Amino acid sequence: MLIFSFITLMWVQYVYLSAVRHMNAAMATVFVSLAPIATILWMSLRSKSVPKFYEILCCISAVTGAVVMATHGDMTTLSVSEEGIIYGILLPVFGVIYTVQPGYLMKNFRPSNVTGWGLLLAGTALLPIVQPWTITETVEMDTFTILNVVYTVLFGTAIAFWTFLASLKYIKPQIAAIYELVEPVSAILLSVWLLDVLYQLPEFLGTMMILCPVLFLSLVHKK
């Protein structure tokens, strides 16, 4: 439980929100979708087996898609900051940890208990570092800001983590990956609609190069 709180949950959330800050919500969630690819590589390494040919092709497609998104199709430049690239690379790594590590906890405890204790312990550990009581010095805590924080805590964090962990009690991680594909698609649509994020052809092609192989692998491993 301590590993889940201080390594898995805390760093998954920190890396994701940092990626959103240095990229945008749409690109960050697309990079999260690389987690199933990273899971396949990890399981192959763990079992000391060679990935199948179609798995290698899917990995190449996904990585290429990430490069296209990061460079906007121009291999000589970066369309996101170096910090964004770093967090984008870390996202699938921690995605694998989040999918694999809490397996024992899910078999023995309720998902709501695991999520609640994980968020409580991780949040408490970050308090002396973040010092949220000083946030008013840099941010105006008006009603709109407070409502956004409450929404992020309840729906974007607690309920989101709880429902994902609960799903692992009933379906395999590969199948859960299929439903996770709704996240980047919805993030792209909402970012373009609500936040006026410019999503051009290179970003669209990169997204398809990531989502399509992930969906294919999820359906293959479902059988």
Side-chain angles (χ1 to χ4, degrees):
M1 188 66 220
L2 293 176
I3 294 175
F4 175 75
S5 300
F6 300 134
I7 297 179
T8 305
L9 190 58
M10 183 171 72
W11 283 102
V12 163
Q13 188 70 346
Y14 176 80
V15 169
Y16 175 73
L17 292 177
S18 298
V20 171
R21 178 183 181 184
H22 292 285
M23 299 182 187
N24 57 57
M27 292 187 67
T29 49
V30 171
F31 274 87
V32 170
S33 300
L34 288 168
I37 300 291
T39 301
I40 291 175
L41 296 177
W42 163 250
M43 297 305 292
S44 297
L45 180 64
R46 186 177 181 181
S47 61
K48 297 180 180 180
S49 61
V50 179
K52 296 180 175 61
F53 180 70
Y54 66 83
E55 293 177 337
I56 296 176
L57 290 180
C58 288
C59 291
I60 294 175
S61 174
V63 172
T64 303
V67 173
V68 170
M69 291 188 66
T71 61
H72 197 68
D74 184 357
M75 299 304 173
T76 62
T77 61
L78 291 175
S79 61
V80 296
S81 64
E82 294 182 0
E83 292 87 353
I85 295 297
I86 294 174
Y87 287 117
I89 295 173
L90 290 176
L91 277 174
V93 174
F94 283 100
V96 174
I97 297 175
Y98 184 71
T99 302
V100 176
Q101 190 271 329
Y104 170 82
L105 295 174
M106 290 300 96
K107 292 180 181 179
N108 295 275
F109 303 98
R110 295 171 57 185
S112 56
N113 290 340
V114 175
T115 305
W117 278 107
L119 291 174
L120 177 62
L121 293 174
T124 303
L126 286 174
L127 280 177
I129 300 174
V130 179
Q131 299 181 2
W133 52 84
T134 64
I135 196 172
T136 53
E137 298 177 1
T138 56
V139 179
E140 183 181 353
M141 295 299 292
D142 54 13
T143 302
F144 182 75
T145 302
I146 294 174
L147 289 176
N148 271 277
V149 171
V150 172
Y151 179 85
T152 301
V153 171
L154 292 179
F155 294 95
T157 305
I159 295 178
F161 281 112
W162 169 66
T163 51
F164 179 79
L165 289 177
S167 71
L168 296 179
K169 292 178 68 71
Y170 306 102
I171 60 178
K172 297 178 180 179
Q174 295 91 337
I175 302 177
I178 298 177
Y179 299 102
E180 279 191 294
L181 293 181
V182 176
E183 181 182 3
V185 174
S186 62
I188 292 169
L189 295 177
L190 291 175
S191 295
V192 173
W193 178 35
L194 298 177
L195 304 178
D196 295 325
V197 172
L198 188 61
Y199 211 75
Q200 298 179 331
L201 182 60
E203 285 81 7
F204 176 78
L205 292 177
T207 298
M208 292 299 102
M209 293 176 70
I210 293 174
L211 297 185
C212 288
V214 171
L215 177 59
F216 171 76
L217 289 175
S218 300
L219 292 173
V220 169
H221 286 278
K222 179 182 177 181
K223 299 178 180 179

